[in-house]
Amino acid sequence: KPVIRTVFFIPLFINIFCCLLSFCGGMIFPLGIFILFPIFILALIVTIVYITKSACNHTFEIFTLYFLPLLVSACIGMMVDQIDTNHTKQKLLEAKNYVEKYYEENGIMPDEDDEYLKDNAVRIRSEEYGNFVLYYKDARICGGDEHVYFLPRP
């Protein structure tokens, strides 16, 4: 029986580790697909082997569902990334509106010590004639733009 337990837990631990990789791959999806592809191939092979074993033995093997957690983990990772991207866009657009309003009212740009910018973790780089660039996480927006630019992913 100890051998059976060990044989059962090895694929289980591999699946848990692959689920974590799949989640991380989903969060950095443009290059994450290179992480996910080999993992998905491995999971499909394990799933097919256990489906065949289940069909031959007329039983249900739990590892016939081996592929499903990987797929769910990747989808959750992609959704988390999309939510974070939307939050970053919204935060930068709100900060841009604040800076433009501040400049109209005071005639000068807010500096790095501005309370609103500090509270929202937005960094500002002021340029001449009322131009500015705001930075938040891996994104930036310039004064007068309505589009948020994201840095390339690793």
Side-chain angles (χ1 to χ4, degrees):
K1 285 192 173 188
V3 173
I4 293 173
R5 289 182 187 156
T6 305
V7 171
F8 177 78
F9 285 113
I10 289 172
L12 181 65
F13 289 132
I14 291 172
N15 195 2
I16 291 170
F17 177 72
C18 289
C19 284
L20 291 173
L21 286 178
S22 181
F23 176 77
C24 293
M27 286 184 61
I28 57 168
F29 189 72
L31 291 178
I33 194 72
F34 296 116
I35 296 171
L36 299 179
F37 187 71
I39 293 172
F40 284 163
I41 296 298
L42 174 72
L44 281 174
I45 291 170
V46 170
T47 300
I48 291 169
V49 166
Y50 277 98
I51 287 173
T52 306
K53 185 178 176 182
S54 293
C56 290
N57 296 340
H58 300 292
T59 60
F60 176 76
E61 297 284 336
I62 191 69
F63 290 120
T64 57
L65 305 173
Y66 201 79
F67 181 73
L68 189 61
L70 297 174
L71 186 61
V72 170
S73 296
C75 290
I76 291 172
M78 285 185 264
M79 286 189 284
V80 167
D81 179 55
Q82 186 63 38
I83 290 168
D84 187 48
T85 300
N86 290 340
H87 177 262
T88 300
K89 283 181 184 179
Q90 179 183 1
K91 181 87 66 170
L92 276 175
L93 289 172
E94 288 173 359
K96 181 184 87 66
N97 291 336
Y98 169 79
V99 170
E100 288 174 347
K101 184 179 175 186
Y102 186 94
Y103 183 72
E104 286 177 10
E105 291 175 358
N106 300 320
I108 59 171
M109 285 290 172
D111 57 1
E112 289 285 334
D113 296 329
D114 184 74
E115 198 65 35
Y116 179 84
L117 296 177
K118 274 179 135 178
D119 290 345
N120 289 301
V122 176
R123 297 178 319 275
I124 186 170
R125 187 183 77 203
S126 299
E127 298 173 351
E128 53 189 52
Y129 307 117
N131 293 330
F132 60 91
V133 181
L134 297 174
Y135 298 95
Y136 180 71
K137 292 185 181 180
D138 61 344
R140 69 177 168 85
I141 189 168
C142 298
D145 281 351
E146 293 298 322
H147 181 71
V148 175
Y149 298 96
F150 286 88
L151 297 175
R153 301 269 171 100

